[in-house]
Amino acid sequence: MMNMKIFIAIFLIIPLFASLSSFIVKNKRFAEYISLFSSFLDLIGAFIILYFSISLKTVSIFNGAIVIDKFSAYIILLVSVVYFVSSMYGISYMRLALEDEKMTDGEFFRYYLFLNLFALTMLLAPMINNMAVYLIDIELTTITSAFLVIAEVTEKSIEAAWKYIVIVSAGISLALLGTILFYLSGNIPGSGNIASSMDWTSLSLNAGYLNKDIVRFAFVLIVIGLGTKVGLAPMHTWLPDAHSEAPSPISSMLSASLLNTAMYGIMRYFNIAGKNLGFDFPQTIMIIIGLFSLFIGVMGIINQKTTKRLFAYSSIEHMSIIALGFGLGGIFGTFGALLQMLGHSLTKPVMFFGSGNFLHKYKTKDINKIKGAFYVMPKTAFLFSTGVMSLIGAPPSIIFISEFLIILQSLKDGYYWMTFLLIGFLIAAFVSLLSKSGSMVFGKAEGNFITDKGDFSPFSYIPMLLPLMASIILGFYIPGSLHSLLSGIVHIIK
Amino acid sequence: MLGYSMPLYVYVIEDLLVLLVLLSSFIMLSSRWISFYIHAYGFQSFLIFVLTIILGIEAQSVDLYLVAFLTLFVRAIFVPYILLRMIKKFNIKEEVKLTLKIPFSIISGVVLTVFAYFLIYRLISPFSPKIVVNASSIALSLIFVGFFMIISRFTTITHILGLLVIENGIFLLSVVVVPTLPIIVELVVLFDILVTVTAMLILSMFMKMRTGSFSTTMLNRLVG
């Protein structure tokens, strides 16, 4: 276990070092490559942690302050995958931003300072055992990413960051209240203080002894509070603003890894509340909030006129499908939701990176003004359109399998009306996303024709290619190790 | 634990203190001036500090003393100080823009307090003494009032203060209901307050530089 302690410490120090050194050295190339290198090391580290948690069951170090089971290791892997591709794409994006958007050098180094800190807080979150400390860590992700949203200081980005901080901080304080109530539920005077702890391990172990009324109230508070961070409607209002005003690499990190990190917290409480009250209560809440968010997400997708807001609403849609999957429960539902988390982390960066490339080429986020991308930047356009197919769940794609499993579970449980609604919303999102991206990629440009054709440097499309390939390959074939990992997590949640 | 084996006058003092806390939140609801607001917040934090000290004496817990003094430094002195300095530095014109008239704000505050009392009564009255029910329902009402202040006032400073009042409510609730809470939790919450307030002040400085005011009414570009 000694080795594991040192390993985890190094794993967390790497991004901290990258962040501070890039801010101190003030050399642009150095800042870019140290971030890329640190994210690469953390990606390898995440695989090693995953291997340990599979072979050694649960890693518990620093007196149980840090506990890593399969679920945590899975989330850490998702975060580090997105961290890696985002810092690779960031090289291309930030160079172009320096060239043509009047980004100052100060803003450039501040970006790298907070990029790695943001990754650090997200990598730390799934490891923390004490749920109150976890929530404060989630609050720190808000602070660091708010400074990334204002990487380019404009009136719009300030507005987005302000809304983001105020709404999410208020949400997190509700979740904190819920956590304190969970502590109270196991610590009632006269009950012998059976579960006198805020650690999810001990709460989950002693879930049967908690006070049922308080747990019921506290779980609702947790879903509202952390749901703010996940982007579940009606607490989602910060999400489209922050995602659309942040630089593209940050949008992808916000969407593809931060939302999963917050969903992880909800699922820990879901497990405790389910063991205490029976799984019907938390499942019903997840289903209700999931369906409502699905409605809001799909309506948002249909109404959007700018690229990044479109994909922000698509994130809301994906997270609501994940919430629905967990809410339906069962083997297929939970498995599908976990798979959807992976699919979301693999496909969302592709879309935000593609939008970032379009933004630099066409100088606009307006869908109606981006036309004929296939003739202007063929590589990006090809990957972008394949990515859209993958995102909306056209086979072969990992999202097709996960959505299929969730639909299967709802049919199996006999929720026919919900299956009907789910399929209807998915088709609406499918058609809308396809027509919008189709007009961007293949549409005919009128008037101002782009003269300098061609893609940007390889750093602009390789980060799109890698996760997209993974998503398509996993659509054909899910390796046995991934399957057994996810089945293990299903048993942890249930 | 609050409410066990102490002389009667201690309870009277505690009840009075939580009542004053409630009063200070109503002072915030009824004031038009930002500096008044900040002073009321500092006063509220100071009351919570005194209450925590008394609880610490009751429970004979060193942790609670530590938390109380950190609360004094962070919530009652440091945060109000930097907020007041901010106002002086940027020469903010002091009046808060209200969406709702003051009498309506106060009535809403009363309704929220009653609602908080009902919630707490249902949740913890079976196993808690009356004084804990009183104190924790006032703590919960602080949380509600904080939310109300965020949605009904349109300057960055009042948004920050609303969040801080929510935090105060959570702190009061945790000290009163679960004094055995691990100290690490209180420490990280205080750390979080420092970081959040600093970040929000930096953001509002950016906002002042770009838009020339601290008002959030002009934040209406991003919709849909």
Side-chain angles (χ1 to χ4, degrees):
Chain A
M1 277 299 142
M2 196 59 215
N3 295 333
M4 201 63 200
K5 263 186 199 173
I6 296 169
F7 178 72
I8 296 289
I10 292 175
F11 181 77
L12 294 173
I13 285 171
I14 289 169
L16 186 66
F17 174 77
S19 136
L20 295 179
S21 66
S22 61
F23 193 67
I24 292 165
V25 173
K26 299 251 187 240
N27 179 319
K28 282 176 192 152
R29 292 295 91 84
F30 176 78
E32 287 166 354
Y33 289 114
I34 191 90
S35 301
L36 182 60
F37 187 58
S38 101
S39 64
F40 181 64
L41 286 181
D42 270 359
L43 182 60
I44 295 172
F47 274 109
I48 295 173
I49 290 175
L50 194 64
Y51 172 76
F52 268 113
S53 67
I54 290 173
S55 58
L56 287 175
K57 285 189 171 175
T58 303
V59 180
S60 170
I61 47 177
F62 299 117
N63 289 333
I66 284 182
V67 171
I68 303 171
D69 64 354
K70 285 176 187 165
F71 195 13
S72 322
Y74 183 57
I75 301 292
I76 292 169
L77 179 68
L78 297 187
V79 171
S80 51
V81 165
V82 179
Y83 176 34
F84 175 64
V85 290
S86 297
S87 52
M88 194 197 280
Y89 179 73
I91 295 177
S92 146
Y93 186 91
M94 295 309 278
R95 279 182 193 172
L96 290 167
L98 274 178
E99 273 170 27
D100 51 40
E101 281 176 28
K102 293 175 200 144
M103 175 178 258
T104 60
D105 285 2
E107 286 172 342
F108 183 84
F109 291 115
R110 202 183 61 213
Y111 167 85
Y112 277 102
L113 173 72
F114 282 109
L115 169 78
N116 295 305
L117 281 182
F118 181 36
L120 170 68
T121 48
M122 285 196 296
L123 289 170
L124 181 60
M127 298 180 184
I128 298 173
N129 193 1
N130 186 318
M131 289 316 276
V133 181
Y134 162 81
L135 285 173
I136 301 301
D137 190 66
I138 291 288
E139 177 70 20
L140 288 183
T141 63
T142 313
I143 306 291
T144 46
S145 53
F147 280 103
L148 288 165
V149 171
I150 53 165
E152 297 162 59
V153 181
T154 61
E155 283 183 26
K156 276 186 177 177
S157 71
I158 291 172
E159 175 182 348
W162 185 260
K163 281 183 186 168
Y164 177 34
I165 278 198
V166 171
I167 295 173
V168 174
S169 300
I172 295 296
S173 53
L174 274 187
L176 201 60
L177 178 63
T179 309
I180 288 170
L181 287 179
F182 260 106
Y183 180 78
L184 170 67
S185 74
N187 211 357
I188 288 163
S191 72
N193 297 358
I194 294 153
S196 179
S197 165
M198 272 181 149
D199 299 347
W200 59 258
T201 44
S202 92
L203 279 174
S204 173
L205 208 62
N206 302 310
Y209 303 108
L210 307 178
N211 181 305
K212 290 201 162 46
D213 285 339
I214 299 181
V215 167
R216 201 169 281 136
F217 184 54
F219 181 71
V220 175
L221 282 177
I222 293 284
V223 172
I224 294 173
L226 276 173
T228 313
K229 193 83 188 182
V230 178
L232 296 175
M235 295 85 68
H236 68 284
T237 45
W238 63 272
L239 193 145
D241 298 349
H243 284 47
S244 67
E245 293 312 312
S248 282
I250 301 308
S251 313
S252 94
M253 281 175 84
L254 280 172
S255 165
S257 51
L258 183 59
L259 306 187
N260 281 339
T261 319
M263 190 52 120
Y264 161 88
I266 296 186
M267 292 324 291
R268 286 292 183 206
Y269 283 108
F270 179 87
N271 169 267
I272 300 166
K275 277 184 178 170
N276 181 244
L277 302 164
F279 278 93
D280 273 355
F281 176 75
Q283 283 180 349
T284 315
I285 288 186
M286 295 298 272
I287 286 177
I288 291 170
I289 203 162
L291 272 181
F292 185 61
S293 310
L294 187 59
F295 172 72
I296 297 286
V298 172
M299 289 303 130
I301 289 174
I302 293 170
N303 279 327
Q304 284 322 301
K305 293 185 179 64
T306 57
T307 50
K308 283 167 95 180
R309 285 186 90 82
L310 179 69
F311 296 118
Y313 274 100
S314 158
S315 300
I316 296 176
E317 181 224 343
H318 271 189
M319 287 335 265
S320 64
I321 292 172
I322 292 170
L324 262 182
F326 283 130
L328 286 165
I331 302 292
F332 289 154
T334 316
F335 193 95
L338 290 167
L339 210 56
Q340 176 98 358
M341 278 180 160
L342 177 60
H344 179 71
S345 289
L346 289 177
T347 50
K348 229 355 108 43
V350 182
M351 309 323 302
F352 279 116
F353 297 165
S355 320
N357 286 348
F358 291 156
L359 175 64
H360 280 311
K361 187 62 98 180
Y362 292 86
K363 315 282 181 235
T364 177
K365 291 178 198 160
D366 192 341
I367 291 174
N368 289 324
K369 286 182 185 149
I370 301 174
K371 299 273 183 203
F374 204 74
Y375 310 101
V376 178
M377 39 196 333
K379 284 173 189 152
T380 302
F382 173 72
L383 292 170
F384 183 81
S385 45
T386 322
V388 169
M389 297 300 283
S390 190
L391 178 80
I392 54 187
S397 140
I398 185 168
I399 291 195
F400 170 73
I401 300 177
S402 60
E403 287 176 353
F404 184 72
L405 283 174
I406 292 170
I407 290 172
L408 210 61
Q409 179 70 39
S410 71
L411 279 176
K412 193 163 157 256
D413 290 352
Y415 294 121
Y416 297 113
W417 55 275
M418 196 163 73
T419 318
F420 179 73
L421 276 178
L422 183 55
I423 293 177
F425 282 135
L426 284 178
I427 289 174
F430 191 100
V431 172
S432 174
L433 273 167
L434 210 57
S435 71
K436 281 176 185 176
S437 61
S439 92
M440 278 192 275
V441 174
F442 300 109
K444 203 167 181 185
E446 305 157 10
N448 54 344
F449 198 70
I450 303 276
T451 44
D452 58 332
K453 289 182 181 175
D455 287 286
F456 300 120
S457 68
F459 283 123
S460 73
Y461 55 82
I462 300 281
M464 296 170 74
L465 180 65
L466 296 177
L468 190 58
M469 265 167 52
S471 138
I472 289 174
I473 290 169
L474 287 173
F476 279 115
Y477 165 70
I478 292 182
S481 53
L482 179 63
H483 185 273
S484 66
L485 170 71
L486 294 187
S487 312
I489 300 173
V490 171
H491 286 294
I492 290 174
I493 290 173
K494 284 258 96 177
Chain B
M1 186 70 199
L2 186 56
Y4 293 106
S5 66
M6 287 298 277
L8 189 66
Y9 66 88
V10 177
Y11 298 142
V12 175
I13 293 173
E14 283 166 356
D15 251 347
L16 266 178
L17 280 173
V18 286
L19 260 178
L20 284 175
V21 169
L22 184 65
L23 186 69
S24 65
S25 74
F26 276 84
I27 291 174
M28 287 190 208
L29 276 181
S30 64
S31 72
R32 279 181 174 280
W33 308 96
I34 289 183
S35 68
F36 212 69
Y37 247 95
I38 298 171
H39 284 114
Y41 170 74
F43 177 60
Q44 187 180 63
S45 309
F46 181 74
L47 290 172
I48 292 175
F49 155 72
V50 177
L51 192 67
T52 318
I53 286 283
I54 294 178
L55 289 176
I57 294 169
E58 264 187 56
Q60 295 178 337
S61 139
V62 182
D63 285 4
L64 275 181
Y65 296 146
L66 184 62
V67 170
F69 278 104
L70 281 172
T71 297
L72 178 69
F73 289 127
V74 174
R75 289 180 225 239
I77 296 173
F78 181 71
V79 170
Y81 171 73
I82 52 171
L83 286 175
L84 284 173
R85 243 194 73 179
M86 180 90 177
I87 290 184
K88 221 173 240 171
K89 191 176 169 196
F90 284 94
N91 209 3
I92 302 170
K93 79 170 183 323
E94 279 220 345
E95 204 161 343
V96 181
K97 204 170 184 183
L98 303 170
T99 32
L100 300 168
K101 292 222 162 63
I102 286 173
F104 187 77
S105 297
I106 291 179
I107 292 171
S108 317
V110 171
V111 171
L112 290 173
T113 311
V114 172
F115 179 59
Y117 195 88
F118 270 111
L119 266 181
I120 286 290
Y121 195 79
R122 269 209 59 189
L123 277 181
I124 70 168
S125 68
F127 50 83
S128 295
K130 212 165 192 175
I131 181 164
V132 173
V133 175
N134 280 347
S136 49
S137 54
I138 283 173
L140 193 61
S141 81
L142 279 193
I143 296 170
F144 290 148
V145 167
F147 273 105
F148 182 75
M149 273 163 47
I150 292 178
I151 59 172
S152 65
R153 280 145 173 79
F154 288 151
T155 56
T156 56
I157 303 282
T158 48
H159 279 183
I160 297 175
L161 280 168
L163 282 177
L164 286 170
V165 170
I166 296 175
E167 298 279 0
N168 261 357
I170 290 174
F171 178 73
L172 185 60
L173 189 78
S174 70
V175 186
V176 170
V177 185
V178 278
T180 52
L181 202 69
I183 188 167
I184 175 89
V185 176
E186 308 285 11
L187 293 184
V188 289
V189 169
L190 278 174
F191 171 71
D192 168 56
I193 288 178
L194 280 181
V195 175
T196 311
V197 168
T198 317
M200 292 176 97
L201 283 179
I202 292 171
L203 259 182
S204 50
M205 265 194 282
F206 275 131
M207 201 183 291
K208 173 82 178 172
M209 281 187 262
R210 286 282 159 163
T211 65
S213 98
F214 280 115
S215 169
T216 54
T217 43
M218 52 240 301
L219 299 184
N220 54 7
R221 288 180 181 76
L222 300 172
V223 282

